[in-house]
Amino acid sequence: MIQGTQSRKYVQLFVSVCLLTLTACAPPRPNHPVIGAKNFTEQVILGELLAQEIEARSHLKVERRFYLAGSYICHQALVAGRIDAYVEYTGTALTAILKQPLDRDPDSVLKTVRALYASRYHVTTADPLGFENTFAMVIRGDDADRLHLRTLSEAARYTPQWKLGVGYEFEQRPDGLGGLSAAYGLHFDGAPRTMDLGLLYRALTAHQVDMIAANSTDGPIQALHLAALADDRHYFPPYQAVPLVRDEALARWPEIRSALQALAGRVTADDMRSMNEAVDGQHRDAAEVVREFRQNKRL
């Protein structure tokens, strides 16, 4: 009995020491919100947009922690409390983070993402910012105007005379070329030309190809006067940009909620293309570009 009591005391002491050690090693809680972003231009712009809007609507100084690699790293940082918010894309959240089946209905995806982040991680999914960053089939603007093309369905009658350019991934992935061709009945002049993503726009403007598989918010679409054809049959999964924010942060700093509400629906795909091009193509500072955007939007 004495030995049992002593053993329990030793166990309790060991647990206490472990807890103290874990507490000592835990990251300190900053007395200000921390906004994160992945490691590409659009994400830095969106992180800066969140940070500036929070600062403008509160007395708070916001810390930026950008270039956090991909979705998994940002998610881990959010759950661990090392960042308080970042912008994710609903399709990525659904499949890559939450491991749910593919769903092509935007409202259904958003509903699922909201429910699972809330129940699993105590994270609020704010209203979408207003744009998607998804795949886009892009053609030259003069071709779109001359043929009066706005949608992929309208373009299908012309594609047998067109050459297609794609990246390596798009040709292989399940939501890529094979399914797209079947959904729209697309046929092209010869096999698709596969190339690095950075070469696609050059090939299109040089008339080496007539259509490319790009990203819907790429800066060159606007800068080069190209046309992104509407996915009118909703083949591609939805990738709405949504801020994710820790519930604890919303309770601690209620001003964050009003900032997110102010940004809801205010960023169009054209806005995002323009800002991406300003940073990538014109080499402007992201913070300056965001300030100009907010001024123009009267935020």
Side-chain angles (χ1 to χ4, degrees), residues 103-285:
D103 184 346
R104 288 186 167 86
D105 179 74
D107 293 335
S108 173
V109 171
L110 181 59
K111 182 179 179 180
T112 300
V113 166
R114 275 200 166 122
L116 292 181
Y117 269 99
S119 62
R120 292 183 184 179
Y121 306 115
H122 304 290
V123 165
T124 291
T125 304
D127 288 338
L129 295 175
F131 75 95
E132 291 187 53
N133 184 355
T134 185
F135 288 112
M137 305 309 291
V138 176
I139 62 176
R140 290 179 289 272
D142 55 356
D143 288 343
D145 294 339
R146 176 172 52 86
L147 300 172
H148 307 288
L149 300 180
R150 296 294 178 268
T151 69
L152 271 169
S153 292
E154 294 169 345
R157 61 182 292 193
Y158 298 100
T159 58
Q161 290 81 49
W162 290 355
K163 296 187 183 298
L164 175 68
V166 299
Y168 299 102
E169 181 181 354
F170 186 76
E171 191 172 17
Q172 303 296 328
R173 59 184 294 158
D175 58 346
L177 180 58
L180 179 73
S181 298
Y184 285 95
L186 301 179
H187 302 279
F188 293 94
D189 179 11
R193 294 191 58 183
T194 307
M195 63 191 78
D196 289 334
L197 294 176
L199 299 176
L200 287 172
Y201 288 103
R202 186 183 306 174
L204 182 62
T205 55
H207 290 254
Q208 296 170 352
V209 297
D210 304 290
M211 176 186 280
I212 61 172
N215 295 312
S216 59
T217 56
D218 286 348
I221 295 176
Q222 191 174 70
L224 299 175
H225 307 292
L226 305 175
L229 297 172
D231 177 19
D232 52 305
R233 295 185 183 176
H234 306 290
Y235 168 75
F236 293 119
Y239 287 95
Q240 297 183 84
V242 291
L244 300 176
V245 57
R246 297 170 61 245
D247 291 346
E248 183 181 336
L250 288 173
R252 189 175 183 185
W253 302 294
E255 301 95 331
I256 294 177
R257 190 180 299 276
S258 62
L260 298 178
Q261 290 171 345
L263 292 174
R266 300 302 298 275
V267 187
T268 68
D270 281 342
D271 290 333
M272 202 66 247
R273 290 174 193 140
S274 180
M275 287 191 282
N276 283 337
E277 177 62 20
V279 175
D280 275 339
Q282 302 169 23
H283 308 293
R284 295 178 59 195
D285 178 65

Side-chain angles (χ1 to χ4, degrees), residues 68 71-84 246:
L68 294 178
S71 294
Y72 179 75
I73 298 299
C74 280
H75 173 71
Q76 292 299 316
L78 186 70
V79 171
R82 290 177 173 83
I83 62 174
D84 295 298
R246 297 170 61 245

Side-chain angles (χ1 to χ4, degrees), residues 11-58:
V11 169
Q12 291 170 351
L13 177 62
F14 176 76
V15 170
S16 298
V17 171
C18 287
L19 289 174
L20 286 172
T21 302
L22 288 173
T23 302
C25 294
R29 294 279 183 175
N31 195 29
H32 52 261
V34 180
I35 302 300
K38 305 180 201 181
N39 61 344
F40 58 94
T41 297
E42 178 168 300
Q43 276 282 299
V44 172
I45 292 170
L46 294 174
E48 185 64 32
L49 179 61
L50 293 190
Q52 286 192 23
E53 194 65 24
I54 293 169
E55 289 176 336
R57 292 177 178 272
S58 70

